[in-house]
Structure formats: C-alpha cells, structure tokens
Amino acid sequence: MKNFLALFLSLFFIASSFAQPSNFLSRSELGLTLGQMYYIGDLNPFSPFKNSQWAGGLMYRYNVHSRMAMRISYLQGRVEANDNQSNNALLVNRNLNFNSDIKELSAGVEFYYAPFVFGQKRSRKAIQGTAYLLAQLGMFYMNPKTEYQGDNIELRPLGTEGQGSSLNKKGTYSNYQLCVPLGVGAKIQWGKNVTVNLDLTIRKTFTDYLDDVGSSTYVNPALLEESNGSLAAVLSNRTLDGSIQGYRGNPSTKDWYVYAGMMVGIRLGRGPRCTPMR
C-alpha cells in the first residue's frame, strides 16, 4: 500500500509541473470516494452487484478546461464470490469460493457532456453539473484466497492448476496486473469550491486469475499433489461429487471488477476558474 501511495503522490507532482503555478491550485481538487465493488468472472458470470463489498479511495483532479479534466485515483476494496450461492447446479457442484483485496492506482481523463466551468458560481443558489465519460489506465494488486476449514488461505503460492510446475505451461501469475477503468458519471459543483461525483466504472483486466480459476479442466490430483503438495490438490478440486472430469472455469474470458460510488472533491486554490470551452 505504501508503494501505491508513493506513486500517487509522484503523479500528483508530475501533473503540477505542467500547469502554470499561479493557476494550478485553483484548477486542482483533492477528493475522497466511497462505494461498492464487485467482481464478474468464473465464480460470478452474470450477476451485477452480487457479493458487493465496501471500497474507498483518494482522488486528485486537474480541470484542464470546461470539457475535460485529468484524474489520478487510488482505490482500495475487496471482491469475493462463492459457488454455493449460485442458481446453476453445475457451479454449485464445483464448490469453489474466493476473496481478494484490491488495491488500484489509475490515471486518465474525464470528458464532459456539457461545459463545466470549475470555480464559476452564477448565483448564490446556482449549482452547475454535467454527465461525463471516464477513461483511465491503471495497475492493481490482487491476492486471491479461499475459505477452507476456518482459515483464509492464499491460493497463488499453491498453484492449484499446476502453476510453478511442469503441469502448467503458463507459469505462476503475478499479484500485480494491468486494468483499464472505463465508466460514466455525473458531476455537480456546490458553490465555488466543492464538487460531488457519482461514478459507475468497469475495470477490464488482462488476467483470468483474479479468482484463481483459469483452466476449463482439473489437473490430475495425484500429479498435482506430487508436484505442489496435498493442499494444492485438495483446493484445486472441491467438487461435491468428487469428479475430476467436471467444469472448472472458462479460459476464453478474462475477469472484471466494477466500482460504483460517490466522490467529494475540494478545490485547493481560490484563484481563477478553469478555461471555458464551448
């Protein structure tokens, strides 16, 4: 977490170097966000907001002009899923579960549907607002675990699909992965110095192992126990009927996670407002 926050601050100072010192703080905001995070993947293929968990983070925004702003975000939350909550008998029989902490750092741009002149106040009661599109590039930390006999066990070191052995040519996946946050939102300004956002942002990832499930088939349990240990073999196949020929996952799709939340930003300066662009 310390490394992520250090990078967040570094990007903040890089962004400040491109702005005019006299106007940089007046166009800048720091904010806090709070909302819900959930996952879509092999253990939850279809259900939005199922098993959603609280998440929150920090935001820095630089208002370039009335149609665009740059945003740097740090987000921390948790995703989880459990086959025993599925309506699909095939998934219930598979009997897998996972949870993972998510720590994400991303940067990108907001594109505003209507001109949003930050720092402008038309009248004492006037509130300006706009809808927007959000596009970012980020990196996130994941660490899939599973509940087993009262313990929360890390899955990556075990290699439940033979990772780290001759049984799997892909090798061990990384805890650090790239993501592309894409979303929509609405933003209003209260007075001259406070903004409120509502975001719904999906995270496209490039890994199928957010849930530690990537293969469509099970590794031979005897070979897996010999190469990666008995616990890896037990947690690889937890089917209720004991079958080793059943469905484990879908290797043709990647995992996603989604964040929906509210963000409050505070303007750092009191100088000129951002440049109008009609």
Side-chain angles (χ1 to χ4, degrees):
M1 179 178 176
K2 292 181 179 179
N3 292 335
F4 277 89
L5 292 178
L7 184 54
F8 179 90
L9 293 174
S10 298
L11 291 174
F12 170 84
F13 288 115
I14 290 172
S16 68
S17 67
F18 290 97
Q20 297 178 0
S22 61
N23 204 22
F24 172 70
L25 291 180
S26 297
R27 297 189 182 195
S28 297
E29 299 171 70
L30 284 180
L32 295 174
T33 182
L34 181 66
Q36 294 276 298
M37 180 182 290
Y38 69 93
Y39 134 98
I40 296 293
D42 291 303
L43 274 69
N44 180 29
F46 309 115
S47 303
F49 290 98
K50 187 174 182 179
N51 291 310
S52 60
Q53 304 292 312
W54 285 106
L58 305 172
M59 177 277 301
Y60 165 73
R61 178 191 288 125
Y62 180 75
N63 294 274
V64 179
H65 51 68
S66 59
R67 289 286 189 174
M68 187 182 77
M70 298 188 299
R71 184 201 286 192
I72 303 170
S73 306
Y74 172 76
L75 184 66
Q76 183 167 331
R78 176 184 169 97
V79 293
E80 62 180 45
N82 197 321
D83 278 343
N84 66 19
Q85 299 175 357
S86 175
N87 296 322
N88 186 322
L90 185 66
L91 300 185
V92 172
N93 181 67
R94 183 177 60 180
N95 193 37
L96 294 177
N97 71 79
F98 95 101
N99 62 84
S100 178
D101 292 329
I102 299 291
K103 300 175 183 178
E104 175 197 290
L105 184 67
S106 58
V109 293
E110 297 175 358
F111 296 103
Y112 298 138
Y113 175 75
F116 188 92
V117 184
F118 184 58
Q120 174 176 282
K121 186 178 180 182
R122 294 186 179 91
S123 70
R124 180 171 295 182
K125 296 183 179 179
I127 297 177
Q128 66 163 327
T130 183
Y132 60 85
L133 299 176
L134 176 65
Q136 294 179 292
L137 178 64
M139 175 175 287
F140 70 98
Y141 168 85
M142 65 178 192
N143 188 19
K145 302 177 183 178
T146 189
E147 295 287 342
Y148 179 66
Q149 295 183 346
D151 294 323
N152 203 24
I153 299 172
E154 293 186 14
L155 292 167
R156 177 180 174 273
L158 297 178
T160 57
E161 294 184 354
Q163 299 99 328
S165 74
S166 60
L167 301 174
N168 191 320
K169 296 180 180 180
K170 293 183 178 179
T172 303
Y173 57 85
S174 174
N175 290 119
Y176 295 90
Q177 300 286 338
L178 292 175
C179 65
V180 180
L182 300 170
V184 295
K187 174 180 179 179
I188 63 171
Q189 178 176 310
W190 244 306
K192 285 188 175 182
N193 302 312
V194 177
T195 58
V196 179
N197 290 56
L198 294 175
D199 278 346
L200 175 63
T201 312
I202 61 173
R203 268 72 177 173
K204 173 178 172 53
T205 78
F206 301 90
T207 180
D208 198 19
Y209 287 105
L210 178 54
D211 49 18
D212 193 62
V213 178
S215 175
S216 61
T217 58
Y218 294 100
V219 179
N220 184 298
L223 296 178
L224 185 59
E225 180 175 359
E226 181 179 347
S227 62
N228 289 14
S230 59
L231 186 58
V234 169
L235 296 181
S236 174
N237 186 348
R238 302 172 70 176
T239 54
L240 299 178
D241 63 4
S243 172
I244 64 171
Q245 304 299 325
Y247 166 82
R248 177 170 167 86
N250 183 357
S252 65
T253 62
K254 304 299 183 183
D255 297 327
W256 299 67
Y257 63 100
V258 181
Y259 175 72
M262 183 177 75
M263 179 167 58
V264 177
I266 298 177
R267 189 183 187 201
L268 299 183
R270 300 293 184 269
R273 62 179 186 253
C274 72
T275 306
M277 179 174 284
R278 302 293 176 179

